């Protein structure tokens, strides 16, 4: 018989077979024996310690009790239906309660038998009970796996349980798997690195994570496996960065010419911040190395990323290239177009806007001018990516508000020239360092960590619905001072209709109750035709309307310096980065700005934390960290590559130090041995040619 290894399909493992293999694949995405080994326990039960029923109290997080199941009966009707068991030892009786899987439990539990029960004790009506306990038939002389005290608990599903693959069943399978393949498991992290970082071997770690003999062993295993997980991700990222730099020649911007200089000397309306200057310098150096630049610019809302992008585009033009900037929404592209046009002033260089709603005639004109090279700067939406859009010589691409674009879309921009253009990617709000290192680990990262001088921090307050009239009073005063106000309603994914209802109801209430006779409102929502949307936007931009009532379509990038109040309705429904992004729409002028977070009286704990974080802090980098802690990486930033962020062991919120350590280790490897030619790096090279995670890493730009 062939030797089984980690890559052997799971059905060949003893005790699995085709049927179980099928559910394992469907329910847990376990295809190979190795996958099973990576189905790590989500917690452990200390099986050395037993409690008596009389010792249980509600403060215990979990307790193990040996006793006898005396009685099992179904009580209640319909939704209140539950299965209740009486569980007895020599010190007393407690109740076991189940709300789910009642039929199956009734069949499989043996009344009268001895069980080891594990769960969280609670007290109800003075009696102790455990809801949804783990039940294990007691066997006096059970064969123990190893001599472990901590027993693994695996996540399972109802379907798996039907095939006897509850935590106990999975335990047995994992034990088999370890017996079968452990000795063949290769340890691909080079020995010298293991030694340097005090990592235990992979085999020891696998044993330690599934059947830890003790706490210390468990912790070593966790450390090793976290390191391992981050190591392979970072190795791929940094390898790609390395390869890209080598493989893709880049256009060389050797000179600073007339466009840049004229703009800088005569048009730039403000001095650059030091952070802007620094990033400009980084771009300047990058674009003169002969390699393609792939750079991410992180900066807080309002930190002035746009002007940096513009200057970089002018640099491209000075060197004989065209440049383009892509934004995720039509509103934003339009806004950029007008903003940049104004910054550029007359006669410096032509700039055009291309979106889905550009009229055919204008579109044709733009296409032609791009192809013959007479149009130097193009701003637009996804429309830029279309194959029909061909440049004579594109040298620089800016992608604003990065996370809304898919990977493939960005890759398409690479192919718009024989030598790919330099890429500058700008995030809408800061993302935590660990996320940046993982999502954009193959890009160079610039940070604009400074706001333009003279900005007054936005004052943020949280009001409940009952304080609405005070808010109206405040709005009236601000409008009288000549300021403008945003009122934003949440976008509820499940129901755009409902959004609109909220918005309309809010609007009606506003019109009825708002104590100011002479004001005008712009209304913008996602269901509107683009033309109308733009029209309403422009009215607000020009100051013809004082209040803009909108759904979150205005979220990204909109810039109206005279708007000084942002009111966010149902703010408890927004994520933190979105709240911060919305708040960033104000505070762009010289006036004191305000953000008012309206919410219902009832708030979840997380909702409260979010709003409090907003009230306490204006710092986008800090807010991003809290967001990561609250939500985990998967939901963050709406990124389409979030697959990379679903880690089994490492936690991007808490393992920042480890991630940095891993990244530095790998940077060191590439510095010493760029092509991984040293004998000790052969496993790394082999691993890189294996199929990686299902992500087109090389295309992330
Ligand atoms: P974001 O980084 O959020 O995209 P923007 O580029 O839209 O920010 O800039 C926000 C506002 O700040 C704009 O009105 C812009 O003109 C202005 N601004 C940018 N840089 C400076 C600066 N160095 N000094 C003063 N104002 C600036
Ligand atoms: Mg912006």
């Amino acid at each position: 018989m062939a030797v089984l290894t980690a890559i052997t399909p799971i059905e060949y493992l003893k005790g699995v077979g085709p049927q179980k293999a099928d559910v394992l694949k469907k329910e847990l995405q376990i295809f190979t024996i190795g996958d099973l080994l990576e189905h790590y326990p989500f917690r452990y039960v200390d099986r050395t310690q037993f409690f008596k029923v009389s010792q249980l109290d509600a403060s215990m997080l979990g307790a193990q009790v040996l006793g006898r199941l005396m009685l099992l009966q179904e009580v209640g009707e319909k939704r209140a239906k539950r299965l209740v068991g009486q569980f007895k030892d020599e010190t007393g009786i407690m109740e076991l309660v189940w709300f789910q899987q009642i039929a199956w439990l009734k069949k499989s539990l043996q009344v009268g038998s001895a069980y080891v029960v594990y769960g969280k004790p609670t007290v109800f009506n003075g009696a102790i009970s455990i809801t949804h306990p783990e039940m294990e038939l007691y066997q006096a002389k059970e064969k123990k796996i190893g001599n472990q005290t901590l027993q693994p608990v695996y996540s399972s599903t109802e379907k798996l349980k039907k095939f006897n693959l509850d935590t106990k069943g999975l335990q047995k399978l994992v034990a088999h798997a370890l017996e079968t393949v452990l000795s063949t498991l290769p340890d691909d992290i080079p020995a010298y690195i293991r030694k340097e970082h005090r990592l235990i071997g992979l085999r020891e770690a696998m044993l330690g994570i599934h059947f830890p003999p003790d706490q210390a062993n468990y912790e070593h295993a966790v450390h090793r496996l976290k390191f391992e997980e981050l190591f392979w991700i970072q190795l791929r990222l940094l390898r790609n960065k390395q390869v890209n730099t080598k493989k893709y020649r880049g256009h060389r911007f050797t000179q600073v010419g007339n466009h840049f200089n004229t703009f800088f000397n005569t048009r730039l309306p403000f001095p650059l911040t030091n952070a802007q200057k620094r990033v400009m310098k980084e771009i300047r150096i990058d674009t003169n190395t002969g390699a393609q630049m792939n750079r991410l610019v992180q900066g807080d809302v309002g930190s002035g990323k746009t002007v940096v992008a513009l200057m970089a585009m002018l640099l491209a033009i000075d060197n004989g290239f065209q440049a383009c900037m892509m934004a995720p929404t039509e509103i934003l592209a339009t806004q950029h177009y007008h903003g940049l046009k104004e910054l550029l002033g007359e006669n410096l260089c032509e700039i055009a806007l291309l979106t889905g709603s550009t009229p055919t005639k204008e579109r044709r004109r733009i296409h032609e001018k791009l192809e013959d090279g007479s149009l130097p700067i193009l701003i637009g939406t996804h429309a830029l990516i279309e194959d029909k859009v061909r440049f004579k010589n594109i040298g620089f691409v800016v992608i604003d508000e990065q996370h809304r674009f898919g990977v493939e879309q960005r890759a398409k921009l690479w192919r718009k020239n024989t030598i790919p253009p330099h890429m500058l990617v700008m995030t809408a709000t800061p993302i935590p360092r660990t996320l940046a290192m993982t999502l954009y680990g193959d890009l160079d990262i610039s940070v604009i960590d400074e706001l333009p001088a003279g900005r007054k921090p936005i004052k943020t307050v949280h009001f409940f619905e009952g304080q609405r009239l005070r808010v109206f009073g405040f709005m009236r005063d601000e409008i009288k001072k000549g300021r403008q106000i945003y009122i934003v309603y949440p976008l509820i994914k499940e129901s755009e209709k409902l959004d609109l209802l909220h918005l309309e109801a809010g609007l009606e209430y506003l019109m009825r109750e708002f104590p100011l006779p002479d004001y005008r409102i712009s209304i913008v929502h996602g269901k509107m035709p683009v033309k109308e949307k733009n029209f309403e936007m422009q009215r607000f931009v020009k100051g013809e309307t004082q209040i803009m009532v909108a759904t979150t379509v205005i979220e990204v990038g909109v810039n109206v310096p005279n708007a000084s109040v942002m009111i966010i309705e149902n703010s408890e429904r927004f994520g933190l980065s979105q709240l911060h992004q919305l708040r960033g729409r104000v505070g762009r002028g010289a006036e004191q700005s305000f953000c008012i977070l309206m919410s219902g009286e009832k708030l979840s704990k997380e909702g409260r934390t979010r709003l409090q974080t907003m009230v306490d802090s204006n710092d986008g980098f800090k807010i991003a960290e809290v967001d990561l802690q609250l939500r985990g990486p998967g939901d963050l930033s709406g990124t389409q590559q979030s697959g990379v962020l679903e880690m089994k062991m490492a936690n991007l919120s808490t393992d920042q130090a480890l991630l940095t350590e891993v990244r530095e280790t790998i940077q060191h490897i590439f510095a010493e041995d760029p092509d991984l030619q040293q004998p000790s790096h052969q496993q790394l090279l082999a691993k890189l040619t294996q199929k990686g995670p299902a992500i087109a890493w090389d295309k992330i730009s």
Side-chain angles (χ1 to χ4, degrees):
M1 204 186 96
V3 179
L4 302 190
T5 68
I7 58 169
T8 307
I10 190 73
E11 47 264 52
Y12 297 104
L13 183 66
K14 195 176 138 209
V16 179
Q19 272 191 332
K20 280 188 183 173
D22 206 47
V23 279
L24 282 170
K25 284 174 200 172
K26 285 206 179 104
E27 297 289 297
L28 297 176
Q29 283 75 53
I30 291 175
F31 294 89
T32 63
I33 298 179
D35 291 342
L36 176 65
L37 291 183
E38 286 182 18
H39 186 57
Y40 302 125
F42 68 94
R43 65 184 174 84
Y44 301 81
V45 180
D46 184 348
R47 295 294 187 179
T48 54
Q49 208 181 0
F50 282 87
F51 289 90
K52 299 294 177 195
V53 170
S54 62
Q55 294 174 305
L56 300 182
D57 71 70
S59 71
M60 296 169 145
L61 292 176
Q64 179 172 241
V65 189
L66 172 61
R68 202 166 287 277
L69 182 64
M70 304 302 290
L71 192 70
L72 200 57
Q73 80 196 132
E74 226 174 290
V75 298
E77 295 275 325
K78 292 196 174 145
R79 291 184 63 199
K81 196 157 93 174
R82 59 200 186 275
L83 187 65
V84 178
Q86 303 285 338
F87 191 75
K88 183 174 180 298
D89 71 1
E90 67 277 18
T91 68
I93 291 185
M94 68 169 162
E95 279 195 346
L96 305 178
V97 186
W98 293 270
F99 295 96
Q100 280 152 20
Q101 294 178 277
I102 292 175
W104 184 77
L105 284 161
K106 257 168 64 182
K107 262 201 300 203
S108 58
L109 289 175
Q110 304 170 13
V111 176
S113 295
Y115 277 92
V116 175
V117 162
Y118 180 88
K120 157 114 192 70
T122 48
V123 175
F124 187 69
N125 282 344
I128 203 94
S129 68
I130 296 182
T131 303
H132 286 261
E134 280 164 36
M135 303 287 291
E136 186 190 321
L137 212 48
Y138 176 67
Q139 287 160 316
K141 274 184 256 133
E142 194 186 356
K143 182 176 165 247
K144 287 261 186 237
I145 306 154
N147 59 344
Q148 83 279 6
T149 57
L150 294 170
Q151 275 196 15
V153 181
Y154 297 97
S155 61
S156 179
T157 65
E158 277 187 48
K159 270 220 182 86
L160 283 160
K161 283 178 188 160
K162 289 202 179 109
F163 288 84
N164 274 335
L165 293 174
D166 54 1
T167 194
K168 200 74 202 155
L170 285 167
Q171 234 179 68
K172 277 192 194 133
L173 278 195
V174 171
H176 269 317
L178 285 171
E179 265 170 43
T180 317
V181 305
L182 198 64
S183 62
T184 68
L185 216 55
D187 195 333
D188 290 324
I189 296 200
Y192 80 92
I193 290 178
R194 262 183 277 152
K195 201 163 157 217
E196 250 173 49
H197 296 269
R198 304 197 180 166
L199 303 174
I200 60 172
L202 183 60
R203 294 174 197 173
E204 202 185 327
M206 276 298 175
L207 276 174
I209 199 72
H210 289 289
F211 301 107
D214 56 41
Q215 189 68 26
N217 216 287
Y218 163 74
E219 279 162 20
H220 289 310
V222 168
H223 183 70
R224 155 75 206 224
L225 294 172
K226 281 182 174 178
F227 190 99
E228 168 121 13
E229 189 167 35
L230 297 169
F231 188 86
W232 299 124
I233 294 174
Q234 291 298 323
L235 186 73
R236 271 174 205 285
L237 284 167
L238 289 168
R239 167 69 162 189
N240 272 321
K241 189 169 169 210
Q242 165 118 344
V243 169
N244 284 348
T245 322
K246 263 213 248 165
K247 190 161 80 189
Y248 295 109
R249 267 189 312 133
H251 303 291
R252 195 161 256 199
F253 297 173
T254 51
Q255 54 177 336
V256 178
N258 179 44
H259 290 91
F260 187 99
N261 283 331
T262 307
F263 177 77
F264 189 78
N265 295 326
T266 68
R267 311 270 160 103
L268 186 64
F270 38 69
L272 294 178
T273 63
N274 286 326
Q276 285 171 320
K277 281 186 206 157
R278 191 182 61 236
V279 175
M280 221 28 247
K281 206 186 230 165
E282 285 165 344
I283 294 171
R284 179 93 182 83
I285 292 170
D286 276 4
T287 51
N288 195 17
T289 59
Q292 184 209 12
M293 176 183 88
N294 280 288
R295 186 168 278 283
L296 175 77
V297 175
Q298 281 225 62
D300 210 340
V301 187
S303 61
K305 295 181 284 281
T306 320
V307 75
V308 171
L310 175 62
M311 289 169 66
M313 292 196 286
L314 293 174
L315 187 65
I317 295 164
D318 278 342
N319 287 274
F321 295 95
Q322 292 164 292
C324 71
M325 181 192 271
M326 184 160 83
T329 66
E330 182 142 358
I331 288 189
L332 189 54
T334 310
Q335 167 109 18
H336 271 320
Y337 169 71
H338 291 296
L340 293 178
K341 216 173 143 126
E342 198 181 309
L343 270 174
L344 280 169
E346 294 294 308
N347 305 327
L348 187 53
C349 97
E350 191 179 343
I351 169 172
L353 175 68
L354 183 68
T355 70
S357 51
T358 306
T360 317
K361 212 171 143 198
E362 167 72 355
R363 181 181 296 263
R364 210 169 288 143
R365 188 188 74 91
I366 289 175
H367 284 175
E368 277 166 21
K369 294 196 71 166
L370 286 175
E371 281 194 61
D372 71 22
S374 60
L375 178 62
I377 298 186
L378 180 65
I379 312 296
T381 54
H382 301 74
L384 290 189
I385 307 176
E386 285 173 19
D387 292 334
K388 279 175 286 181
V389 179
R390 281 185 292 266
F391 294 84
K392 177 152 190 252
N393 195 11
I394 179 93
F396 200 91
V397 171
V398 181
I399 300 183
D400 193 21
E401 328 292 1
Q402 150 80 9
H403 61 255
R404 299 212 162 188
F405 289 106
V407 174
E408 319 78 48
Q409 294 170 325
R410 275 176 274 133
K412 278 192 181 172
L413 286 166
W414 277 46
R415 296 185 216 114
K416 297 259 177 212
N417 202 344
T418 39
I419 293 178
H422 296 298
M423 304 287 281
L424 185 71
V425 169
M426 306 195 287
T427 59
T429 48
I431 54 174
R433 233 170 81 76
T434 51
L435 276 192
M437 281 198 281
T438 308
L439 279 176
Y440 311 111
D442 53 353
L443 309 191
D444 293 303
I445 298 180
S446 295
V447 178
I448 303 189
D449 49 5
E450 182 186 1
L451 292 180
R455 290 271 171 84
K456 294 197 181 78
I458 301 162
K459 288 196 176 130
T460 302
V461 284
H462 172 205
F463 279 127
F464 292 107
E465 200 45 53
Q467 296 161 295
R468 173 74 63 185
L469 290 181
R470 265 183 74 187
V471 176
F472 277 171
F474 174 73
M475 287 167 59
R476 180 195 52 209
D477 294 345
E478 285 295 301
I479 291 176
K480 277 189 179 159
K481 284 190 225 159
R483 311 280 135 72
Q484 288 167 287
I485 297 175
Y486 293 104
I487 306 178
V488 179
Y489 289 84
L491 191 95
I492 303 161
K493 250 212 196 106
E494 310 84 72
S495 161
E496 263 187 67
K497 240 195 210 145
L498 201 61
D499 277 358
L500 207 52
L501 280 179
H502 278 291
L503 186 142
E504 279 167 357
L507 199 60
E508 198 190 295
Y509 184 70
L510 182 72
M511 309 248 237
R512 207 174 50 229
E513 303 290 333
F514 187 52
L516 189 74
D518 194 24
Y519 67 97
R520 283 176 302 271
I521 301 182
S522 283
I523 303 170
V524 177
H525 59 78
K527 282 268 190 249
M528 262 167 137
V530 175
K531 245 194 164 147
E532 227 172 281
K533 229 191 282 185
N534 284 340
F535 177 74
E536 290 286 311
M537 274 299 304
Q538 284 310 315
R539 289 210 308 154
F540 189 68
V541 172
K542 288 184 200 138
E544 294 167 11
T545 58
Q546 290 76 43
I547 301 179
M548 148 108 42
V549 176
T551 52
T552 36
V553 287
I554 64 147
E555 180 189 342
V556 249
V558 173
N559 190 21
V560 182
N562 189 49
S564 63
V565 184
M566 166 61 68
I567 299 173
I568 305 177
E569 300 288 346
N570 299 113
S571 57
E572 72 273 24
R573 297 190 183 203
F574 289 89
L576 259 180
S577 69
Q578 209 180 8
L579 287 172
H580 181 62
Q581 179 66 33
L582 282 169
R583 176 170 61 183
R585 296 311 104 215
V586 296
R588 296 181 161 241
E591 306 304 333
Q592 175 63 55
S593 289
F594 303 87
C595 175
I596 300 176
L597 305 168
M598 300 300 298
S599 84
E601 312 284 333
K602 267 198 190 152
L603 286 175
S604 68
K605 194 168 156 232
E606 199 196 303
R608 201 181 299 272
T609 309
R610 276 199 303 266
L611 299 186
Q612 194 56 46
T613 304
M614 288 295 293
V615 170
D616 291 345
S617 178
N618 263 311
D619 179 347
F621 286 91
K622 211 189 240 163
I623 288 171
E625 292 289 345
V626 177
D627 203 16
L628 178 62
Q629 280 160 27
L630 286 179
R631 288 202 291 167
D635 288 331
L636 227 71
S637 77
T639 167
Q640 310 198 15
Q641 303 103 287
S642 61
V644 217
L645 300 174
E646 280 158 24
M647 299 192 184
K648 289 187 170 134
M649 264 294 155
N651 177 333
L652 291 179
S653 168
T654 49
D655 292 328
Q656 176 161 342
L658 184 62
L659 177 54
T660 307
E661 179 184 330
V662 168
R663 196 167 161 90
E664 282 167 5
T665 305
I666 295 170
Q667 278 165 342
H668 189 71
I669 293 177
F670 281 122
E672 299 268 297
D673 183 18
D675 298 316
L676 302 179
Q677 292 302 304
Q678 288 172 18
S680 60
H681 293 152
Q682 289 319 293
Q683 297 117 297
L684 302 186
L685 200 58
K687 193 91 176 178
L688 281 171
T689 52
Q690 277 171 26
K691 208 170 138 266
I695 302 144
W697 288 105
D698 54 326
K699 298 209 175 96
I700 295 181
S701 52

